[in-house]
Amino acid sequence: MLKKISFIAIILLFGTFCFVDSALAQSISLNVGDSPATGSTTARIFNVIMMITVLSVAPSILIMMTSFTRIIVVLSVTRSALATNSTPPNMVLISLALFLSMFIMAPTFEKAWDEGLQPMFEEKLDTMEGLEKASVPFKEFMIKNTREKDLLLFQDLSQEKPEKIEDTSLKVAIPAFMISELRRAFEIGFLIYVPFLIIDMVIASILMSMGMMMLPPTVLALPFKIIFFVLIDGWYMLAGSLINSFH
């Protein structure tokens, strides 16, 4: 399973090299006539261009159409609540968010590979049809995790009236999904922030009662917040809650 998920993560790059090797194995002609050979070469060149285009926007696709947005926002809020500045560093938070997203999105990746990408690379489907079929599992995932209110907002703005919820276009599903993810991320972040805020208030009250006005409460509260987070096994609870928060 892990091997297949890793393979899906680099499949677009792998597919690009496959198409390049296949194209170089043939003689390329500049004649754009109607001969079968020319048509085949032109189609393969077009496939290579399409793959390069998809690879260039892959980071944006990862952020827009997966669970990455909610996870990275919650992890960032957690670090702010702990007041540990740049600890854990951005590289660690992004890596953790990426691997949690891969774990959550594994069934979606597999379905997209089986229904769209694999037939496309086997030339059973053309490029556009293969990409369209590969996008269907992602659209289903997004709609399941989008508030109906947000979905209706963009449907009304685009004047789109799908007969079924599954017929919603990506131009509506993606922005609705993103604002839903941001809302849920801030809700989770609020619940995480409150216990650490209480610790700050208690430490500040104790310092004021002792007349220690010059000592910043955040400095004294930091070790208490860290040990509190460790004692409740915070990373375990946070990862489990984030994974379970997706349908």
Side-chain angles (χ1 to χ4, degrees), residues 69-79 184-186 188-189 192 238 242:
T69 300
R70 184 189 306 185
I71 295 172
I72 193 62
V73 171
V74 171
L75 293 179
S76 299
V77 172
T78 302
R79 184 175 65 179
R184 288 194 178 98
F186 276 93
I188 298 172
I192 293 173
L238 189 60
L242 284 172

Side-chain angles (χ1 to χ4, degrees), residues 46 69 78 88 119 126 142 144 167 185-186 194 202 224 247:
F46 178 74
T69 300
T78 302
D126 58 33
M142 288 188 291
K144 286 180 181 178
D167 296 334
F186 276 93
V194 169
V202 170
F224 289 98
H247 300 297

Side-chain angles (χ1 to χ4, degrees), residues 133-152:
K133 286 186 177 294
S135 68
V136 172
F138 289 94
K139 184 168 66 173
E140 292 175 350
F141 172 83
M142 288 188 291
I143 291 175
K144 286 180 181 178
N145 291 278
T146 301
R147 287 194 312 166
E148 184 178 356
K149 181 179 179 180
D150 297 328
L151 202 58
L152 290 175

Side-chain angles (χ1 to χ4, degrees), residues 23-243:
L24 291 177
Q26 303 179 19
S27 60
I28 300 178
S29 174
L30 295 178
N31 183 10
V32 292
D34 297 329
S35 65
T38 303
S40 177
T41 302
T42 303
R44 292 182 181 276
I45 293 175
F46 178 74
N47 286 337
V48 172
I49 295 174
M50 287 295 298
M51 291 299 103
I52 294 174
T53 302
V54 171
L55 285 173
S56 65
V57 299
S60 298
I61 294 174
L62 175 66
I63 292 173
M64 292 187 297
M65 302 176 65
T66 68
S67 57
F68 183 83
T69 300
R70 184 189 306 185
I71 295 172
I72 193 62
V73 171
V74 171
L75 293 179
S76 299
V77 172
T78 302
R79 184 175 65 179
S80 298
L82 286 168
T84 53
N85 297 326
S86 58
T87 304
N90 290 332
M91 181 66 72
V92 174
L93 291 185
I94 293 173
S95 299
L96 178 59
L98 269 175
F99 281 102
L100 288 177
S101 298
M102 288 179 61
F103 182 84
I104 294 168
M105 300 296 298
T108 304
F109 287 150
E110 292 180 355
K111 191 174 181 181
W113 166 255
D114 293 335
E115 296 182 0
L117 295 177
Q118 187 175 20
M120 183 182 70
F121 291 140
E122 293 175 352
E123 299 186 353
K124 297 178 181 178
L125 299 174
D126 58 33
T127 302
M128 296 307 298
E129 187 178 0
L131 292 176
E132 183 178 356
K133 286 186 177 294
S135 68
V136 172
F138 289 94
K139 184 168 66 173
E140 292 175 350
F141 172 83
M142 288 188 291
I143 291 175
K144 286 180 181 178
N145 291 278
T146 301
R147 287 194 312 166
E148 184 178 356
K149 181 179 179 180
D150 297 328
L151 202 58
L152 290 175
L153 169 65
F154 286 96
Q155 286 178 350
D156 292 339
L157 292 175
S158 64
Q159 298 181 349
E160 184 178 288
K161 303 294 182 182
E163 296 182 0
K164 297 186 295 183
I165 198 70
E166 293 80 7
D167 296 334
T168 305
S169 63
L170 286 175
K171 71 176 183 180
V172 170
I174 292 176
F177 172 72
M178 290 194 70
I179 65 173
S180 292
E181 288 295 279
L182 289 173
R183 181 180 184 275
R184 288 194 178 98
F186 276 93
E187 288 176 347
I188 298 172
F190 170 78
L191 296 176
I192 293 173
Y193 215 104
V194 169
F196 298 106
L197 182 61
I198 293 174
I199 293 176
D200 284 332
M201 293 174 63
V202 170
I203 296 297
S205 299
I206 293 174
L207 291 177
M208 290 186 65
S209 64
M210 296 175 63
M212 302 175 66
M213 302 296 185
M214 302 302 294
L215 181 62
T218 53
V219 174
L220 191 58
L222 179 59
F224 289 98
K225 289 192 285 188
I226 291 177
I227 193 61
F228 169 74
F229 193 69
V230 171
L231 289 176
I232 66 172
D233 205 355
W235 293 114
Y236 169 85
M237 295 177 61
L238 189 60
S241 299
L242 284 172
I243 293 172

